[in-house]
């Protein structure tokens, strides 16, 4: 099985180094533009087009892809666009060894002072590298860095965003050759708000070019399912779940070991960050050819501000003394208490005001009590209405982030990014009502005969087409099963009768929380 690994970091090097002390770029002109001017423009375009992640807290770690910018650049930029100049003193990059066998985790040659790119030179943090040299699990294999692109590809992006920092480049061997526990224990003490830990990795390498073809049907869908599953377990810092996925599926994730080291270091640290899947993509989506395709993920870990002991209703959108209404589509329930429901509505309401009126400061979760249930990864939808008419509805089907973060993100998206509507204006806020739908896990059904209208939401998938309706949609419209499926087919961009043949269906239940 092919496994590839990549990492990187950057800083402008002082004048005291000679060219012999610096690793020259190995993939400039191949993975990214060679000339400084063209590279500067290339990265500016990626960062401009990338949607800045809506997050709270300090980015302390991330998984980022390392393919050529034309393929994985947009995915990587979706995370890097949230980094600002001077944010970090040190960036530690873990990457796989693509070109040389390494038994352990290789540190740079002690004589190496920096990594050069067309944008300048990034200085190596000699003090940290010297300290790690004396630690179990680390080795020095200078030749491993000569052709390794996984660190190098990250550096221009970091030079444009973080700008000044010192680099700790670490090149990891294959599973079975690395002591993950020892290496993660050595790195955990360095983690903090002024240090960023990156795991450079692409995900599934599919096709004959990579010697990995675990399935022959529904290839785009199956690749997306694997990518969603793996990235979700990483975001949840589920070390056992991620390792089990790799071991049982043999998924060709080149940076498996860098990712596992990063997860273990974060779980050992005192940061307790919240994981967020920022972007998912693949080369197959870019080229339209899935015969050979590589998947990419950008996953950020954010140190969440301390949580106060109790919900302070002053200044929030919660109505004091009011009880949130709950409607179950079926029998499933997330088991939220009244205090948790009230807190979620306060987050949704405060998020609307925050995003519509300008987002002058980072959103402050410190006003709410965040219980373990609210921190569990959960899929949600947020629906906005004015006098019963839809004003925006955006959600997620995959439980890839904590419940309270999912409500916040989908409130922002429903207000500003529903393509059917113009963004919500400040003067509309007083007239908007909010529904928060909390979704159960999704499951496949054999046929539409198993679909329970009014009790279940339904997802239609046919080829590259996909659409979803929440459980309450059919009831509100007074539709029959056939009318629901016909409308769902049209929503997916298909003929009304497309559901009758060749379509697949999934269902879920929901609990809709409404304001009194």
């Amino acid at each position: 099985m092919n496994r590839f690994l990549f990492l990187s970091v950057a800083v402008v090097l002082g004048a005291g180094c000679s060219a012999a002390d610096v690793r020259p770029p190995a993939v400039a002109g191949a993975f990214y533009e060679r000339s400084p001017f063209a590279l500067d423009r290339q990265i500016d375009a990626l960062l401009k087009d990338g949607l800045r992640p809506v997050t709270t807290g300090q980015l302390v770690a991330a998984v980022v892809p390392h393919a050529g910018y034309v393929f994985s650049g947009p995915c990587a930029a979706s995370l890097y666009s949230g980094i600002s100049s001077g944010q970090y003193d040190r960036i530690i990059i873990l990457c796989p060894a693509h070109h040389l066998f390494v038994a352990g985790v290789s540190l740079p040659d002690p004589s190496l002072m920096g990594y050069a790119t067309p944008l300048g030179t990034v200085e190596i943090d000699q003090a940290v590298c010297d300290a790690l040299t004396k630690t179990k699990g680390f080795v020095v294999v200078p030749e491993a860095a000569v052709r390794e692109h996984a660190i190098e590809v990250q550096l221009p992006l970091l030079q444009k965003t973080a700008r000044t920092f010192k680099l700790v480049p670490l090149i990891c061997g294959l599973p079975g050759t690395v002591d993950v526990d020892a290496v993660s224990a050595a790195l955990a003490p360095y983690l903090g708000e002024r240090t960023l830990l990156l795991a450079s990795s692409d995900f599934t390498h599919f096709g004959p070019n990579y010697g990995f073809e675990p399935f022959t049907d529904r290839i785009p869908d199956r690749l997306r399912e694997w990518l969603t599953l793996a990235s979700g377990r990483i975001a949840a810092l589920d070390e056992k779940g991620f390792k089990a996925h790799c071991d049982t599926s043999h998924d060709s994730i080149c940076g498996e070991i860098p990712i596992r080291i990063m997860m273990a270091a974060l779980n050992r640290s005192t940061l307790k960050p919240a994981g967020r899947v920022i972007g998912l993509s693949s080369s197959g989506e870019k080229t339209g050819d899935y015969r050979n395709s590589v998947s990419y993920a950008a996953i950020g870990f954010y140190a969440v501000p301390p949580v106060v002991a109790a919900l302070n209703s002053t200044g929030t959108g919660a109505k004091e003394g009011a009880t949130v209404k709950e409607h179950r589509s079926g029998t499933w329930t997330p088991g939220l208490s009244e205090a948790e429901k009230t807190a979620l509505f306060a987050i949704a309401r405060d998020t609307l005001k925050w995003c519509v009126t300008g987002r002058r400061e980072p959103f402050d979760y410190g006003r709410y009590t965040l219980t373990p249930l609210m921190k569990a990864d959960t899929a949600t939808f947020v629906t906005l209405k004015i006098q019963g008419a839809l004003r925006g509805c955006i959600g997620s089907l995959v439980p890839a982030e904590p419940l309270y973060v999912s409500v916040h993100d989908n409130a922002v998206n429903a207000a500003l990014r529903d393509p059917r509507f113009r963004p919500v204006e400040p003067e509309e806020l007083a007239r908007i009502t909010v529904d928060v739908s909390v979704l159960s896990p999704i499951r496949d059904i054999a046929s539409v005969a198993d679909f329970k209208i009014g009790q279940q939401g339904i997802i239609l998938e046919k080829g590259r087409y996909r659409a979803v309706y929440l459980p309450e949609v059919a009831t509100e419209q007074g539709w029959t099963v056939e009318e629901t499926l016909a409308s769902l087919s049209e929503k997916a961009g298909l003929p009304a009768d497309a559901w009758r043949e060749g379509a697949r269906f999934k269902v879920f239940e929901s609990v809709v929380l409404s304001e009194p």
Side-chain angles (χ1 to χ4, degrees):
M1 175 176 60
N2 290 308
R3 293 181 183 269
F4 306 90
L5 303 175
F6 290 66
L7 281 202
S8 70
V9 177
V11 162
V12 177
L13 191 63
C17 287
S18 68
D21 300 324
V22 173
R23 176 200 179 273
V27 293
F31 281 60
Y32 56 83
E33 295 286 355
R34 182 185 301 276
S35 81
F37 178 73
L39 179 56
D40 189 75
R41 286 194 307 175
Q42 184 181 30
I43 296 175
D44 279 345
L46 289 171
L47 295 173
K48 181 180 179 181
D49 292 341
L51 186 63
R52 184 181 179 91
V54 180
T55 57
T56 297
Q58 170 81 353
L59 179 70
V60 294
V63 176
V64 281
H66 55 234
Y69 286 3
V70 69
F71 294 110
S72 69
C75 184
S78 68
L79 183 129
Y80 283 127
S81 62
I83 294 177
S84 57
S85 176
Q87 193 170 345
Y88 302 105
D89 298 326
R90 175 190 303 116
I91 298 179
I92 303 170
I93 300 179
L94 293 158
C95 85
H98 287 87
H99 304 288
L100 195 72
F101 176 80
V102 174
V105 174
S106 178
L107 290 154
D109 189 311
S111 66
L112 191 67
M113 303 302 292
Y115 270 61
T117 81
L119 300 183
T121 302
V122 178
E123 183 180 355
I124 289 176
D125 192 326
Q126 298 291 347
V128 172
C129 291
D130 289 347
L132 293 177
T133 303
K134 306 176 181 66
T135 306
K136 181 183 177 182
F138 292 91
V139 295
V140 178
V141 184
E143 297 81 4
V146 174
R147 296 174 57 203
E148 185 53 62
H149 62 278
I151 291 174
E152 178 185 331
V153 167
Q154 310 298 339
L155 294 181
L157 289 158
L158 288 163
Q159 287 171 302
K160 287 284 291 181
T161 53
R163 295 192 182 272
T164 55
F165 58 90
K166 290 186 177 182
L167 173 65
V168 180
L170 304 174
I171 302 174
C172 305
L174 294 172
T177 72
V178 176
D179 189 333
V180 172
D181 288 340
V183 173
S184 62
L187 295 179
Y190 292 102
L191 301 186
E193 63 177 20
R194 299 294 301 173
T195 294
L196 176 62
L197 175 63
L198 296 179
S200 178
S201 178
D202 295 337
F203 281 67
T204 307
H205 297 66
F206 176 87
N209 286 359
Y210 305 103
F212 188 64
E213 297 177 86
F215 35 75
T216 58
D217 65 322
R218 298 177 51 229
I219 291 172
D221 291 340
R222 297 286 294 276
L223 289 175
R224 190 73 175 190
E225 289 167 2
W226 276 27
L227 180 60
T228 300
L229 173 63
S231 60
R233 288 181 174 174
I234 294 167
L237 289 177
D238 179 4
E239 296 179 61
K240 290 183 179 179
F242 177 66
K243 185 177 183 299
H245 167 73
C246 295
D247 290 346
T248 58
S249 69
H250 305 293
D251 197 352
S252 49
I253 301 173
C254 59
E256 176 190 341
I257 291 301
I259 292 170
R260 286 175 53 197
I261 292 171
M262 180 203 69
M263 294 170 70
L266 289 172
N267 280 329
R268 287 175 179 272
S269 76
T270 59
L271 298 174
K272 308 303 178 188
R276 286 282 322 284
V277 178
I278 303 298
L280 301 174
S281 66
S282 70
S283 62
E285 292 177 12
K286 177 74 174 178
T287 64
D289 184 357
Y290 284 91
R291 288 174 296 180
N292 292 285
S293 180
V294 180
S295 300
Y296 313 116
I299 307 165
F301 294 88
Y302 300 84
V304 179
V307 178
V308 295
L311 172 64
N312 178 4
S313 62
T314 304
T316 73
K319 298 180 179 180
E320 187 173 1
T323 301
V324 174
K325 294 187 294 183
E326 176 181 298
H327 171 73
R328 301 181 189 177
S329 68
T331 59
W332 178 84
T333 174
L336 294 166
S337 69
E338 292 301 323
E340 288 167 330
K341 297 173 193 175
T342 302
L344 288 174
F345 260 98
I347 290 172
R349 272 293 181 187
D350 292 344
T351 295
L352 287 177
K353 182 178 179 181
W354 171 81
C355 71
V356 170
T357 58
R359 299 189 236 177
R360 293 177 180 83
E361 300 292 338
F363 189 79
D364 180 15
Y365 288 115
R367 293 173 288 174
Y368 318 101
T369 298
L370 304 180
T371 65
L373 187 56
M374 292 171 67
K375 293 179 180 179
D377 286 353
T378 309
T380 69
F381 272 70
V382 172
T383 304
L384 310 180
K385 296 179 181 179
I386 294 180
Q387 296 182 337
L390 186 65
R391 186 60 183 86
C393 180
I394 296 286
S396 54
L397 295 173
V398 177
E401 57 188 359
L403 172 58
Y404 74 98
V405 177
S406 182
V407 169
H408 169 80
D409 288 353
N410 287 327
V412 172
N413 292 332
L416 303 181
R417 297 172 185 149
D418 190 327
R420 299 168 294 181
F421 304 95
R422 58 178 172 77
V424 170
E425 301 289 347
E427 56 269 21
E428 295 179 281
L429 289 174
R431 297 186 291 130
I432 284 179
T433 58
V434 181
D435 287 346
V436 175
S437 298
V438 184
L439 273 56
S440 75
I442 295 170
R443 64 180 179 85
D444 294 303
I445 56 173
S447 73
V448 293
D450 298 321
F451 170 47
K452 299 176 182 177
I453 192 167
Q455 296 183 37
Q456 297 171 331
I458 186 164
I459 303 166
L460 178 150
E461 297 177 340
K462 188 171 183 178
R464 63 185 180 88
Y465 299 94
R466 189 187 200 201
V468 59
Y469 274 146
L470 295 174
E472 60 268 23
V473 172
T475 303
E476 290 174 352
Q477 300 298 323
W479 287 335
T480 64
V481 170
E482 289 196 358
E483 289 171 333
T484 300
L485 297 174
S487 177
L488 191 60
S489 297
E490 292 175 337
K491 183 180 180 182
L494 296 165
D497 63 351
W499 62 272
R500 295 183 180 277
E501 186 176 353
R504 299 182 305 278
F505 302 94
K506 298 178 181 180
V507 295
F508 58 91
E509 296 180 17
S510 72
V511 170
V512 181
L513 307 177
S514 302
E515 294 174 291

